[in-house]
Amino acid sequence: MTGEDEIIIHGPRVTVPIAYDSLGIQLYKALNDREETPLFIDAFSGEYMTSTTLLRNSCFLGQCLRNFGLAKNDVIAVCSENHVQFFDPVLAGLYSGIIVSLFSPHYTERELLHVANISQPSVIFCSTEASSVILKVKDRLKRTPKVVAIDAKADYGGCQSIQNFIMEYVPASFDVSTFSPFPVNVKEYVAFILYSSGTTGLPKGVMLTHLNYITTITINKPRRDPLSEVSLIIIPLYHVYGLFLGCLRISGGGKGIVMKKFDPDVYLKTIQDYKIERLSIVPSIANFLIKSPLVDKYDLSSLKTVSCGSAALTKVAEEALTKRLHVTDIRQSYGMTESTLSVIGDSKDRTASGACGRAMPNTSVKITDVDTGKSLGPMEVGELWCRGDVIMKGYYNDPEATRAVIDENGWLHTGDMAYYDYDHAFYIVDR
């Protein structure tokens, strides 16, 4: 805490040095250093993407984007359900300082028109499943994008296959070993534009910098043993939480089992067959695990840790989950798209049941009176404000909305009501 008038809860300093290479350079190096093993596996089909194939694909596509004419701070978009090829265009963009905007494949035409007109991507990479709504709206956008299908074998109806796109712009003689990512200023350059309604209104484009994501990965790595870890990724990769899980697998090792939709039997069988030890969930999945009779039909004894994000679990739900899964390590966290991931989370030093954790490393948090802005002490409910290297740069092309949520001292005003106890554990009261 600092000052007599201002009460601030600071997280510990991160113990692992933060590298200031671009996110693209760091992920490229991680793939280059790995042995060829399956990295992403489709839970339904068994289709997989190896680390070596992902490196090759993303380098070819990265060169393709450069030859297509894109450069630093240009924008591409990815619109797909969870797919083993999801990260091909994501990495290709990051390698060249191109901003990657992520669209939900479930957007309606109206929603897609809104978000695509915010970021105005030059190219939209999509799955065939998501392409229909994109093709319906692309000619109505402020900028007409090229549409490329990541999983199509041939061109169709205004959509080019990714193989043909690469063949058109990259000569067959291209040597992948000559490709290298570009450096960028990690504090200033935007890596991703994700979408959030923020505290109010229509979705806005959240600008997350390379430093935002590098810091988030660095903060969370020491809390895990990633080299042999198998993650079950059911949370959408276009969501800040799912995107983090995918990036963590690329940067830290292990493999990710991706599910494009929730199927109860496939979900539980995947935990059983892959002997998942750490489960990342949201409250709706927690509710399924607590109540579904299907849970008893599968061997989930491999589970050691369950981490829940998106919204807080009640004390009753946390206790029910512990009892049902026979797991004592239930971790909660609090964050939002604007904070990249979590600003509050559980560590190995567990907080009280029902709490969402303590301030994360390199992060500061305070509770403020909604009328006066004065910081409050323990057990007093107010608005949660947070600050640190994980806080977004701002809303894309919307300085007014940015000023409304990030003040001149760098505090993000979350709009969420919370309090903390005498052990500095935080509790969310209303989101």
Side-chain angles (χ1 to χ4, degrees):
M1 301 182 205
T2 60
E4 294 181 0
D5 297 325
E6 190 168 30
I7 307 171
I8 302 173
I9 309 301
H10 299 288
R13 301 307 299 174
V14 66
T15 57
V16 179
I18 295 176
Y20 285 87
D21 289 329
S22 75
L23 181 59
I25 289 174
Q26 292 191 34
L27 296 179
Y28 173 88
K29 287 180 177 178
L31 288 174
N32 210 31
D33 290 343
R34 287 179 62 151
E35 296 180 0
E36 183 168 18
T37 54
L39 176 53
F40 294 114
I41 303 172
D42 188 294
F44 291 91
S45 68
E47 179 187 3
Y48 63 86
M49 171 74 70
T50 69
S51 50
T52 304
T53 302
L54 177 56
L55 178 62
R56 181 182 183 279
N57 288 357
S58 57
C59 288
F60 260 93
L61 187 55
Q63 188 63 45
C64 177
L65 293 177
R66 293 176 187 180
N67 294 350
F68 181 70
L70 299 188
K72 292 178 180 179
N73 280 332
D74 285 332
V75 181
I76 63 170
V78 180
C79 181
S80 173
E81 68 282 2
N82 287 4
H83 196 286
V84 296
Q85 290 179 265
F86 186 93
F87 279 96
D88 288 13
V90 172
L91 294 180
L94 292 175
Y95 291 160
S96 296
I98 295 168
I99 301 169
V100 181
S101 183
L102 300 181
F103 298 160
S104 166
H106 306 296
Y107 281 148
T108 63
E109 289 184 36
R110 178 178 175 274
E111 291 168 333
L112 183 59
L113 279 167
H114 176 74
V115 298
N117 278 332
I118 291 175
S119 55
Q120 299 184 38
S122 298
V123 183
I124 299 179
F125 293 93
C126 62
S127 63
T128 53
E129 190 172 313
S131 64
S132 59
V133 66
I134 294 170
L135 293 172
K136 288 178 182 176
V137 306
K138 75 166 190 173
D139 291 329
R140 288 184 274 156
L141 297 173
K142 293 177 182 177
R143 177 195 294 267
T144 303
K146 185 177 187 66
V147 181
V148 178
I150 61 174
D151 56 349
K153 302 300 182 185
D155 300 350
Y156 63 92
C159 194
Q160 189 173 26
S161 73
I162 197 166
Q163 293 90 344
N164 286 344
F165 180 45
I166 292 171
M167 287 175 61
E168 183 178 350
Y169 289 95
V170 181
S173 59
F174 175 66
D175 182 357
V176 172
S177 67
T178 64
F179 181 87
S180 61
F182 293 154
V184 300
N185 182 329
V186 297
K187 292 183 178 181
E188 296 299 326
Y189 272 76
V190 176
F192 300 109
I193 299 175
L194 279 66
Y195 296 89
S196 166
S197 295
T199 57
T200 184
L202 290 169
K204 304 172 187 70
V206 176
M207 296 187 289
L208 299 179
T209 66
H210 287 253
L211 181 61
N212 289 155
Y213 245 85
I214 292 164
T215 302
T216 297
I217 291 172
T218 304
I219 287 172
N220 285 274
K221 263 188 179 180
R223 305 168 69 216
R224 301 167 179 264
D225 178 22
L227 293 178
S228 60
E229 185 175 354
V230 182
S231 297
L232 176 51
I233 305 177
I234 178 66
I235 298 165
L237 291 169
Y238 59 81
H239 184 276
V240 68
Y241 192 5
L243 180 64
F244 162 74
L245 293 174
C247 287
L248 188 65
R249 290 282 64 81
I250 296 170
S251 66
K255 58 175 70 80
I257 315 303
V258 297
M259 293 184 66
K260 66 178 181 179
K261 61 181 179 180
F262 182 71
D263 179 289
D265 283 295
V266 174
Y267 183 75
L268 295 169
K269 189 174 187 299
T270 300
I271 297 173
Q272 172 186 274
D273 292 354
Y274 285 94
K275 295 181 169 45
I276 303 293
E277 295 184 2
R278 302 171 188 266
L279 203 58
S280 298
I281 63 171
V282 292
S284 59
I285 295 179
N287 189 55
F288 161 76
L289 291 169
I290 292 167
K291 296 182 177 180
S292 175
L294 284 175
V295 171
D296 296 325
K297 297 181 180 180
Y298 294 88
D299 178 6
L300 308 184
S301 61
S302 62
L303 287 174
K304 296 179 180 178
T305 302
V306 177
S307 299
C308 185
S310 180
L313 288 178
T314 64
K315 181 178 180 180
V316 171
E318 188 174 326
E319 291 173 349
L321 196 60
T322 297
K323 182 178 179 180
R324 187 71 187 278
L325 299 181
H326 307 289
V327 173
T328 57
D329 192 5
I330 307 290
R331 302 184 181 188
Q332 296 206 55
S333 61
Y334 165 85
M336 54 201 306
T337 306
E338 287 86 345
S339 64
T340 310
L341 194 65
S342 303
V343 290
I344 296 169
D346 266 345
S347 64
K348 291 180 180 178
D349 179 20
R350 285 301 318 284
T351 50
S353 178
C356 60
R358 297 184 176 92
M360 292 289 283
N362 289 33
T363 302
S364 300
V365 184
K366 64 180 178 178
I367 302 298
T368 63
D369 184 286
V370 294
D371 294 319
T372 66
K374 179 182 177 181
S375 56
L376 303 175
M379 311 307 293
E380 296 184 278
V381 176
E383 184 183 3
L384 191 153
W385 293 8
C386 50
R387 184 170 67 183
D389 285 339
V390 296
I391 303 305
M392 68 169 181
K393 185 175 183 178
Y395 294 119
Y396 192 65
N397 288 337
D398 198 340
E400 183 178 348
T402 301
R403 286 192 295 270
V405 296
I406 300 179
D407 65 28
E408 64 275 11
N409 295 313
W411 288 102
L412 173 66
H413 301 200
T414 69
D416 296 331
M417 303 300 289
Y419 69 93
Y420 60 91
D421 63 21
Y422 290 96
D423 292 322
H424 296 172
F426 284 81
Y427 300 76
I428 304 302
V429 175
D430 185 36
R431 294 203 75 171

